[in-house]
Amino acid sequence: MSTVQGHCDPGFTGVREVFEESFAGGREVGAAVAVYAGDRLVVDLWGGVADRRTGREWLPDTPCVAFSCTKAVTATAALLLAERGAYDVDGPVADWWPEFAAQGKENTTAAHLLSHQAGLPAFDRPITAEQATDPAAMAAELAGQTPEWTPGTAHGYHAVTYGWLAGEIVRRLSGRSVGEFVRQEFARDLDLWIGAPDDVIERAAKLTAAKEPAAGGADTGAPPGDTDVLARLTAAYLSDDSLLNRAFASPAPGERGFNNPVVLRGGWPAAGMVATSKGLAGFYRDLLAGRLVGHDTLRKGIERRVDGPDRVMLVDTSFGLGYMRPAMTFFTPPEAADTAFGHAGYGGSIGLADIDRGIGMAYIPNLLSQQFSGDLRAYNLVKAVYAALN
């Protein structure tokens, strides 16, 4: 009997086959995938165990940490405030955050914050999980730092700091935390939390690590056979001082990693979202339908603001105003190159939408791969969705 449960429309049976094969091949412990075509839920599948230690089954409403899939939700909150006229996306951050103008950052714009151009991809000092529960303190920490590059002249993935940069737009201009704003404005009916309540944390899937990476470091999505890129990635992975490692190292989630309730309760707005696959796919469904921001706002939000070498990831990345676009860290089939957007997450999760095809999807596993982004389990599911559309 297959470990996979749920329903799949006849036209999307290829998605179920790929999902089942991933379990059969030992690449999953527990996971879920959901796909909306317009407002129709065409795929809603789950399987495996939510907690490998206890054997607790993954259920239809089992939530799980989705890591950087969080960034697209935080960015949408910021774009909604821009749509309402609260600030100018291309205007100076100092207009509404005066303290940010320190250390040569006076010309930084909100668009720089939203598109990984701010030059603040890492904290200058170690931050604990407990300290990271205070968004005002995290924002103040970043406001006082000197940028790694002149904002707007380059881009580099702000793996965790993104949440307190883009999130400060929300906090200062709405008076609410990102989690509160998201819950009240557009996630009332979605199983999606940035700052999960205790009952959600209790039933959430427990993350479990894959085997250690082979010698040579983590797989960050470098093209096979590209020895120059692989050499740079290996050197960065092995150096504690590299921007790559610094960007991911702090705040430190603690001994339990992202299973730590302090992290999940703390609502890190770049990486702390807890969601079901149906909840995250529903977010993209509503985003495409114009129920979260207007269609013009969304189209401007997904326009490529940066595209090319990433100072942190050391491979080519591409971003709009918070949304990933197809690149080495956001794998899509060729037919999606101009129309897909969303965000991948560390360990394998992905949320993706196609603005022309009206597809919103999400995949969230609890077995973490060793990739920072661009997991092939997610890619194979995305590929199967597009094959069904074709």
Side-chain angles (χ1 to χ4, degrees), residues 68 70-76 78-79 97 110-118 120-123 142 156-169 178 247 250-251 268-271 301 319-324 343:
S68 286
T70 313
K71 291 181 176 69
V73 180
T74 297
T76 302
L79 291 177
W97 186 1
H112 294 153
L113 301 187
L114 290 166
S115 57
H116 300 268
Q117 297 185 76
L120 298 168
F123 285 102
L142 293 167
Y157 189 52
H158 289 50
V160 189
T161 59
Y162 185 94
W164 295 294
L165 294 170
E168 193 67 356
I169 298 173
V178 172
S250 183
W268 296 9
F319 296 95
L321 294 174
Y323 306 110
M324 277 184 166
H343 218 289

Side-chain angles (χ1 to χ4, degrees), residues 33-52:
V33 58
V35 182
Y36 280 96
D39 283 339
R40 189 162 57 96
L41 184 62
V42 295
V43 176
D44 183 19
L45 300 172
W46 63 91
V49 296
D51 186 338
R52 185 158 63 177

Side-chain angles (χ1 to χ4, degrees), residues 59 191 299 353:
L59 301 173
D191 287 339
R299 286 199 174 271

Side-chain angles (χ1 to χ4, degrees), residues 4-9 15-16 19 32-36 41-46 60-61 276-279:
V4 172
Q5 302 179 65
H7 89 267
C8 185
D9 279 16
V15 178
R16 183 175 195 129
F19 195 49
V33 58
V35 182
Y36 280 96
L41 184 62
V42 295
V43 176
D44 183 19
L45 300 172
W46 63 91
D61 62 347
T276 64
S277 63
K278 192 161 59 175

Side-chain angles (χ1 to χ4, degrees), residues 15-380:
V15 178
R16 183 175 195 129
E17 291 169 0
V18 167
F19 195 49
E20 289 179 335
E21 198 280 327
S22 195
F23 276 98
R27 294 184 293 278
E28 303 285 11
V29 170
V33 58
V35 182
Y36 280 96
D39 283 339
R40 189 162 57 96
L41 184 62
V42 295
V43 176
D44 183 19
L45 300 172
W46 63 91
V49 296
D51 186 338
R52 185 158 63 177
R53 182 178 59 85
T54 65
R56 174 165 56 94
E57 187 180 5
W58 193 297
L59 301 173
D61 62 347
T62 296
C64 187
V65 179
F67 291 99
S68 286
C69 296
T70 313
K71 291 181 176 69
V73 180
T74 297
T76 302
L79 291 177
L80 177 57
L81 286 167
E83 183 177 87
R84 291 174 176 172
Y87 71 103
D88 178 2
V89 165
D90 292 304
V93 170
D95 283 355
W96 47 269
W97 186 1
E99 300 88 345
F100 192 81
Q103 307 297 329
K105 303 192 297 297
E106 62 276 2
N107 295 320
T108 306
T109 68
H112 294 153
L113 301 187
L114 290 166
S115 57
H116 300 268
Q117 297 185 76
L120 298 168
F123 285 102
D124 279 348
R125 67 179 183 89
I127 304 290
T128 67
E130 288 75 16
Q131 290 170 325
T133 63
D134 185 345
M138 295 299 92
E141 190 83 25
L142 293 167
Q145 286 190 195
T146 301
E148 300 284 342
W149 60 83
T150 301
T153 63
H155 76 280
Y157 189 52
H158 289 50
V160 189
T161 59
Y162 185 94
W164 295 294
L165 294 170
E168 193 67 356
I169 298 173
V170 178
R171 196 185 72 84
R172 284 185 175 250
L173 299 177
S174 77
R176 290 172 275 177
S177 71
V178 172
E180 290 168 342
F181 186 90
V182 167
R183 199 83 204 138
Q184 293 167 11
E185 295 287 345
F186 51 71
R188 290 181 184 274
D189 299 321
L190 298 176
D191 287 339
L192 178 159
W193 301 267
I194 301 176
D198 288 346
D199 65 307
V200 171
I201 294 172
E202 185 177 350
R203 62 187 175 86
K206 302 300 182 186
L207 302 170
T208 185
K211 294 179 181 178
E212 289 297 316
D219 183 353
T220 59
D226 192 333
T227 55
D228 183 54
V229 171
L230 288 172
R232 293 202 308 272
L233 287 170
T234 299
Y237 184 71
L238 295 175
S239 169
D240 290 341
D241 295 330
S242 70
L243 271 183
L244 178 68
N245 276 330
R246 287 174 53 211
F248 285 86
S250 183
E255 290 184 5
R256 297 176 64 184
F258 274 75
N259 289 322
N260 184 352
V262 173
V263 176
L264 305 184
R265 199 179 295 120
W268 296 9
M273 178 173 64
V274 178
T276 64
S277 63
K278 192 161 59 175
L280 183 55
F283 161 79
Y284 283 104
R285 171 201 64 199
D286 293 344
L287 186 57
L288 290 172
R291 291 191 280 264
L292 307 186
V293 297
H295 294 293
D296 288 345
T297 297
L298 178 58
R299 286 199 174 271
K300 290 176 182 176
I302 70 172
E303 287 177 3
R304 294 177 190 262
R305 291 284 181 137
V306 293
D307 189 13
D310 187 297
R311 288 280 189 97
V312 175
M313 300 298 282
L314 303 179
V315 297
D316 286 355
T317 60
S318 185
F319 296 95
L321 294 174
Y323 306 110
M324 277 184 166
R325 300 303 311 277
M328 290 181 185
T329 53
F330 191 62
F331 296 152
T332 64
E335 60 267 35
D338 295 327
T339 54
F341 69 96
H343 218 289
Y346 172 75
S349 54
I350 192 170
L352 178 145
D354 191 302
I355 197 163
D356 286 354
R357 293 171 176 85
I359 288 291
M361 70 170 290
Y363 159 73
I364 306 178
N366 66 351
L367 178 62
L368 304 181
S369 76
Q370 289 296 331
Q371 294 171 278
F372 288 123
S373 191
D375 188 89
L376 286 176
R377 294 172 300 175
Y379 171 75
N380 289 334

